[in-house]
């Protein structure tokens, strides 16, 4: 979902900032619906929760999970933690960058994140997907894949890109 089709930030906040809900719960709900937390939601959130804008912004940027820009149509999350590293995830990461032509999103403050959407694909590092015995592991658009080889990566990515293209054609 891009910013032109996303719900207006005020509307997102009004619907999700229900009494008794924590800021984190509201941010999760907004991102689940819109795909990201629009920067324009910070002001209405701070007003609704009686927090400063800096406090709201601080929470959004502290947690890597929250994104402040729409995701690419295909999001690849590759595990870069110990078990997967020992089974070749770094070589797989290099392969992924070479194959897709984009670079892994840098972690850090959301405002500093690199959103590289080459070919509609985004690469993201994650740290343990709970599949250590089946490493290296990765997720593509939320679907878990284990024992990923470069060949398997290419096939899974092609399948995901084709699925997105079919969905876009159907709209
Ligand atoms: S270290 Fe990669 S799934 Fe646990």
């Amino acid at each position: 979902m891009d910013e032109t089709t996303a719900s207006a930030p005020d509307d997102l906040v009004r619907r999700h900032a229900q009494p008794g809900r924590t800021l984190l719960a509201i941010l999760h709900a907004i991102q689940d619906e819109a795909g990201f937390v629009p920067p324009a939601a910070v002001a209405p959130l701070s007003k609704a929760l009686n927090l400063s804008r800096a406090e709201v912004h601080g929470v959004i940027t502290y947690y890597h999970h929250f994104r402040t820009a729409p995701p690419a149509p295909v999001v690849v999350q590759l595990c870069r933690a110990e078990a997967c590293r020992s089974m070749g995830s770094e070589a797989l990461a290099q392969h992924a960058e070479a194959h897709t032509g984009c670079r892994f999103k840098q972690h850090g403050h959301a405002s500093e994140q690199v959103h590289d959407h080459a070919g509609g694909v985004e690469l993201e590092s994650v740290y343990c997907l709970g599949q250590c015995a089946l490493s290296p592991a990765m997720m593509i658009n939320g679907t878990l894949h284990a024992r990923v080889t470069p060949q398997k990566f290419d096939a899974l990515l092609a399948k995901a890109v084709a699925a997105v293209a079919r969905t876009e054609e159907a709209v």
Side-chain angles (χ1 to χ4, degrees), residues 78-86 89 126-138 144:
L78 178 66
C79 180
R80 316 278 295 263
E82 276 309 307
C84 286
R85 273 179 179 265
S86 70
S89 67
V126 292
Y127 295 88
C128 198
L129 292 166
Q131 299 293 311
C132 311
L134 300 171
S135 52
M138 73 173 183
L144 198 52

Side-chain angles (χ1 to χ4, degrees), residues 104-116:
F104 276 87
K105 185 173 78 178
Q106 302 299 306
H107 277 294
H109 293 301
S111 58
E112 297 165 359
Q113 289 171 358
V114 174
H115 294 277
D116 191 343

Side-chain angles (χ1 to χ4, degrees), residues 1-161:
M1 182 177 295
D2 63 29
E3 285 174 87
T4 56
T5 58
S7 299
D10 282 325
D11 182 51
L12 283 168
V13 172
R14 184 179 51 72
R15 286 185 290 105
H16 293 296
Q18 301 298 324
R21 258 186 145 176
T22 63
L23 174 58
L24 270 181
I26 297 165
L27 291 173
H28 276 287
I30 289 174
Q31 182 156 301
D32 286 349
E33 179 181 329
F36 67 110
V37 179
V42 171
L45 275 170
S46 70
K47 194 172 171 193
L49 297 175
N50 201 23
L51 297 168
S52 71
R53 290 184 191 197
E55 286 171 306
V56 175
H57 180 73
V59 171
I60 294 169
T61 53
Y62 179 79
Y63 293 98
H64 295 152
H65 173 72
F66 296 121
R67 53 172 68 245
T68 54
V74 176
V75 178
V76 176
Q77 295 174 299
L78 178 66
C79 180
R80 316 278 295 263
E82 276 309 307
C84 286
R85 273 179 179 265
S86 70
M87 294 300 286
S89 67
E90 292 313 293
L92 191 57
Q94 285 179 10
H95 172 81
E97 287 189 334
H99 184 76
T100 61
C102 63
R103 300 189 40 212
F104 276 87
K105 185 173 78 178
Q106 302 299 306
H107 277 294
H109 293 301
S111 58
E112 297 165 359
Q113 289 171 358
V114 174
H115 294 277
D116 191 343
H117 291 189
V121 177
E122 181 177 325
L123 300 177
E124 184 179 352
S125 299
V126 292
Y127 295 88
C128 198
L129 292 166
Q131 299 293 311
C132 311
L134 300 171
S135 52
M138 73 173 183
M139 290 216 286
I140 298 185
N141 285 355
T143 301
L144 198 52
H145 302 283
R147 292 198 172 113
V148 182
T149 62
Q151 295 73 24
K152 189 170 174 180
F153 175 91
D154 295 351
L156 290 168
L157 184 68
K159 206 170 157 188
V161 169

